[in-house]
Amino acid sequence: MTDAPAEIVELMEQAVARRRSAMIGVAAIDSFEVAWLAAAGGDEDALFMAGSLSKTVTAAVALELVERQELDLDSAVGDQLISWRMPAEGSGTTLRDLLGHTSGANVPFYPGYPQSSDVPTLARSLSGLEPATTQAVEMDPKFVGRFRYSGGGFTVVQQLIEDVSGVPFAQAAREAILDPAGMTRSTFLQPPPAPLRDSTARTDWRFYPECAAAGLWTSPGDLARFVSALQAAANGRGGSLTRHTGEAMTAPHITLPPRGQWTVLALLGLEPPLSHGLGLFVREQRFINLGGAAGFFSALAGSNEDGTGAVVMTSGCRPALVLRVLLELSDAQAWNGFRASRGAIKRRTSDLLLRVLS
């Protein structure tokens, strides 16, 4: 591995110095390999909760099971569910729909549960029953075939994988993705096992029984190893993931509507995605995903074309910092098609938005 660029390390250290107990970790990818790691406020092995980046890894788990013919992308998932019944409106819902956010499922995000509170089972969360604090997962026919971001849809995927495999989702994910990719410091277990729990970036983390949607614990280096494996697979270079998984995740599944949270990226200097694959937002050969959990905010980005990319994970930092680090990395590695043209960004609007996000 090489050393991290001095300007990025300085940016990280300045950000951590301004905030008590903040931590940031970065992993850069070059030529389809992890090129360097850097950390501020902690060490490179610290664990962060990945939030919605969990969905990206979950999509890979599901697609690898499709390759093993344990799941089918285009069959009705309700026919294989045992522990929870699919609502009548979702009788035709497929795994492809759920991974691509076109199933019409509700519940966009999960807030997690404080360590002192009661935590629902997966089935009770899906059904919206106490002590669950979120609605029951339902499929709205008005949104079927259209993009509607849904953590609820990925929670259905979690239940589907458990019912089909006969093992907890965390175990299925470890066998299908984490172990083959060398992600030894990653887990979907809630809470993380004792050896890893001592390395979490903060101690006031929350439980996420909906771990497939939001509960992955990982380090920047581990997640970068996954991203590089994904890039290699999509590029036909082999590795721990099948080519079908890499292509399905990074090829457009649905065109994004003109309005949505992703348009904020343009105001912050990044080219917004144009479509969504099965687990990732996509713009031509580049992909990106953002993830927030209680006290954590992270991002991953990569290119199948040139094998560059990065993972930025933070605890106690402003969300805008993650995007700023990604922009610095895009300049350092000369990423094509990542930074928005300056002429398209109005500075006053950008500054206002940064204040709102901060």
Side-chain angles (χ1 to χ4, degrees):
M1 289 190 185
T2 60
D3 293 331
E7 60 271 20
I8 294 178
V9 173
E10 182 180 3
L11 172 62
M12 295 165 58
E13 292 177 345
Q14 289 176 349
V16 167
R18 289 194 296 268
R19 291 182 172 269
R20 182 181 299 177
S21 301
M23 191 180 298
I24 179 170
V26 177
I29 301 164
D30 195 15
S31 300
F32 302 92
E33 296 181 349
V34 180
W36 53 259
L37 302 172
D43 60 42
E44 296 171 355
D45 287 331
L47 264 64
F48 298 80
M49 184 158 271
S52 287
L53 301 188
S54 309
K55 297 179 179 66
T56 301
V57 179
T58 294
V61 174
L63 289 166
E64 287 295 293
L65 294 180
V66 168
E67 281 294 285
R68 300 176 188 179
Q69 298 184 340
E70 295 180 38
L71 294 175
D72 189 280
L73 262 179
D74 298 303
S75 297
V77 298
D79 294 341
Q80 291 184 291
L81 286 167
I82 299 171
S83 304
W84 179 75
R85 179 174 294 181
M86 178 71 74
E89 294 81 0
S91 59
T93 299
T94 68
L95 180 58
R96 189 187 302 274
D97 296 329
L98 294 169
L99 298 180
H101 296 289
T102 53
S103 68
N106 60 342
V107 191
F109 303 104
Y110 286 99
Y113 295 85
Q115 296 173 37
S116 59
S117 68
D118 292 334
V119 179
T121 63
L122 181 60
R124 292 187 74 83
S125 175
L126 282 165
S127 299
L129 299 175
E130 292 184 354
T133 59
T134 49
Q135 294 178 308
V137 176
E138 299 174 344
M139 313 303 171
D140 189 335
K142 297 193 301 293
F143 291 96
V144 172
R146 297 163 55 189
F147 184 83
R148 188 193 198 193
Y149 192 84
S150 172
F154 271 75
T155 305
V156 176
V157 173
Q158 179 179 340
Q159 187 66 76
L160 174 68
I161 290 174
E162 291 193 353
D163 285 349
V164 170
S165 67
V167 299
F169 176 79
Q171 180 179 338
R174 173 154 301 285
E175 294 172 354
I177 297 297
L178 303 186
D179 282 348
M183 299 172 69
T184 59
R185 297 189 59 76
S186 302
T187 183
F188 278 97
L189 286 172
Q190 305 291 310
L196 296 179
R197 202 178 311 168
D198 295 337
S199 301
T200 57
R202 58 191 304 140
T203 59
D204 58 343
W205 41 262
R206 294 188 176 190
F207 289 96
Y208 285 82
E210 311 87 2
C211 63
L216 173 66
W217 283 102
T218 189
S219 67
D222 261 17
L223 197 53
R225 279 182 273 278
F226 168 78
V227 173
S228 62
L230 177 65
Q231 293 171 301
N235 201 263
R237 291 171 171 259
S240 61
L241 298 177
T242 62
R243 184 163 189 171
H244 172 263
T245 293
E247 291 176 343
M249 292 183 67
T250 59
H253 164 71
I254 186 72
T255 300
L256 296 175
R259 295 181 181 180
Q261 292 177 326
W262 50 89
T263 58
V264 170
L265 297 178
L267 299 177
L268 294 174
L270 283 68
E271 286 283 8
L274 300 175
S275 57
H276 194 278
L278 301 186
L280 286 164
F281 289 93
V282 181
R283 184 184 180 94
E284 297 174 348
Q285 290 297 315
R286 293 211 167 270
F287 56 80
I288 189 171
N289 205 5
L290 307 177
F296 298 90
F297 192 79
S298 305
L300 62 80
S303 166
N304 294 339
E305 190 172 40
D306 60 16
T308 60
V311 171
V312 183
M313 308 195 80
T314 67
S315 168
C317 296
R318 298 177 179 180
L321 172 67
V322 171
L323 303 181
R324 184 178 175 190
V325 172
L326 278 180
L327 284 172
E328 292 291 337
L329 279 162
S330 74
D331 291 343
Q333 293 187 318
W335 295 359
N336 294 323
F338 190 79
R339 181 182 283 273
S341 60
R342 294 186 179 183
I345 306 170
K346 296 181 179 179
R347 181 174 296 277
R348 290 179 62 186
T349 304
S350 180
D351 290 345
L352 173 62
L353 191 57
L354 280 170
R355 288 198 296 272
V356 172
L357 286 176
S358 300

PDB file of all heavy atoms in Angstrom, residues 105 128 137 211 262 289 303 342 346:
ATOM      1  N   ALA A 105     -42.485  -0.751  -2.217  1.00  0.00           N
ATOM      2  CA  ALA A 105     -42.423  -0.912  -0.763  1.00  0.00           C
ATOM      3  C   ALA A 105     -42.232   0.432  -0.071  1.00  0.00           C
ATOM      4  O   ALA A 105     -41.569   1.336  -0.584  1.00  0.00           O
ATOM      5  CB  ALA A 105     -41.293  -1.863  -0.390  1.00  0.00           C
ATOM      6  N   GLY A 128     -44.855  -4.220  11.673  1.00  0.00           N
ATOM      7  CA  GLY A 128     -45.134  -2.985  12.374  1.00  0.00           C
ATOM      8  C   GLY A 128     -45.735  -3.185  13.746  1.00  0.00           C
ATOM      9  O   GLY A 128     -46.516  -2.353  14.217  1.00  0.00           O
ATOM     10  N   VAL A 137     -44.415  -3.119   6.597  1.00  0.00           N
ATOM     11  CA  VAL A 137     -43.967  -3.022   5.210  1.00  0.00           C
ATOM     12  C   VAL A 137     -45.131  -3.392   4.288  1.00  0.00           C
ATOM     13  O   VAL A 137     -45.726  -4.466   4.418  1.00  0.00           O
ATOM     14  CB  VAL A 137     -42.764  -3.940   4.944  1.00  0.00           C
ATOM     15  CG1 VAL A 137     -42.377  -3.912   3.469  1.00  0.00           C
ATOM     16  CG2 VAL A 137     -41.581  -3.519   5.810  1.00  0.00           C
ATOM     17  N   CYS A 211     -31.060  -5.555   9.787  1.00  0.00           N
ATOM     18  CA  CYS A 211     -29.631  -5.391   9.517  1.00  0.00           C
ATOM     19  C   CYS A 211     -29.301  -5.385   8.032  1.00  0.00           C
ATOM     20  O   CYS A 211     -28.331  -4.750   7.610  1.00  0.00           O
ATOM     21  CB  CYS A 211     -28.827  -6.455  10.250  1.00  0.00           C
ATOM     22  SG  CYS A 211     -29.166  -8.157   9.746  1.00  0.00           S
ATOM     23  N   TRP A 262     -31.019  12.550  -4.240  1.00  0.00           N
ATOM     24  CA  TRP A 262     -29.743  12.440  -4.956  1.00  0.00           C
ATOM     25  C   TRP A 262     -29.377  13.725  -5.687  1.00  0.00           C
ATOM     26  O   TRP A 262     -28.211  13.963  -5.966  1.00  0.00           O
ATOM     27  CB  TRP A 262     -29.797  11.273  -5.942  1.00  0.00           C
ATOM     28  CG  TRP A 262     -31.015  11.305  -6.815  1.00  0.00           C
ATOM     29  CD1 TRP A 262     -31.159  11.934  -8.019  1.00  0.00           C
ATOM     30  CD2 TRP A 262     -32.282  10.715  -6.513  1.00  0.00           C
ATOM     31  NE1 TRP A 262     -32.427  11.773  -8.496  1.00  0.00           N
ATOM     32  CE2 TRP A 262     -33.150  11.027  -7.590  1.00  0.00           C
ATOM     33  CE3 TRP A 262     -32.773   9.954  -5.461  1.00  0.00           C
ATOM     34  CZ2 TRP A 262     -34.476  10.598  -7.630  1.00  0.00           C
ATOM     35  CZ3 TRP A 262     -34.081   9.529  -5.504  1.00  0.00           C
ATOM     36  CH2 TRP A 262     -34.922   9.847  -6.570  1.00  0.00           C
ATOM     37  N   ASN A 289     -22.973   5.181  -3.292  1.00  0.00           N
ATOM     38  CA  ASN A 289     -24.050   4.978  -2.332  1.00  0.00           C
ATOM     39  C   ASN A 289     -23.670   5.695  -1.048  1.00  0.00           C
ATOM     40  O   ASN A 289     -22.488   5.791  -0.703  1.00  0.00           O
ATOM     41  CB  ASN A 289     -24.315   3.501  -2.064  1.00  0.00           C
ATOM     42  CG  ASN A 289     -25.748   3.258  -1.579  1.00  0.00           C
ATOM     43  OD1 ASN A 289     -26.562   4.176  -1.538  1.00  0.00           O
ATOM     44  ND2 ASN A 289     -26.054   2.037  -1.221  1.00  0.00           N
ATOM     45  N   SER A 303     -15.521   2.950  -9.839  1.00  0.00           N
ATOM     46  CA  SER A 303     -15.648   2.900 -11.288  1.00  0.00           C
ATOM     47  C   SER A 303     -15.278   1.511 -11.773  1.00  0.00           C
ATOM     48  O   SER A 303     -14.241   0.962 -11.375  1.00  0.00           O
ATOM     49  CB  SER A 303     -14.731   3.935 -11.951  1.00  0.00           C
ATOM     50  OG  SER A 303     -14.610   3.694 -13.340  1.00  0.00           O
ATOM     51  N   ARG A 342     -18.229  23.365 -12.595  1.00  0.00           N
ATOM     52  CA  ARG A 342     -18.423  24.508 -11.711  1.00  0.00           C
ATOM     53  C   ARG A 342     -19.486  25.466 -12.232  1.00  0.00           C
ATOM     54  O   ARG A 342     -20.164  26.140 -11.471  1.00  0.00           O
ATOM     55  CB  ARG A 342     -17.095  25.237 -11.517  1.00  0.00           C
ATOM     56  CG  ARG A 342     -16.068  24.400 -10.757  1.00  0.00           C
ATOM     57  CD  ARG A 342     -14.820  25.174 -10.458  1.00  0.00           C
ATOM     58  NE  ARG A 342     -13.864  24.367  -9.703  1.00  0.00           N
ATOM     59  CZ  ARG A 342     -12.698  24.822  -9.261  1.00  0.00           C
ATOM     60  NH1 ARG A 342     -12.342  26.075  -9.494  1.00  0.00           N
ATOM     61  NH2 ARG A 342     -11.891  24.016  -8.600  1.00  0.00           N
ATOM     62  N   LYS A 346     -24.291  27.024  -8.343  1.00  0.00           N
ATOM     63  CA  LYS A 346     -24.377  28.381  -7.825  1.00  0.00           C
ATOM     64  C   LYS A 346     -23.837  28.386  -6.403  1.00  0.00           C
ATOM     65  O   LYS A 346     -24.353  27.720  -5.526  1.00  0.00           O
ATOM     66  CB  LYS A 346     -25.817  28.878  -7.836  1.00  0.00           C
ATOM     67  CG  LYS A 346     -26.407  28.999  -9.241  1.00  0.00           C
ATOM     68  CD  LYS A 346     -27.826  29.529  -9.190  1.00  0.00           C
ATOM     69  CE  LYS A 346     -28.394  29.664 -10.591  1.00  0.00           C
ATOM     70  NZ  LYS A 346     -29.793  30.159 -10.559  1.00  0.00           N
TER      71      LYS A 346
END
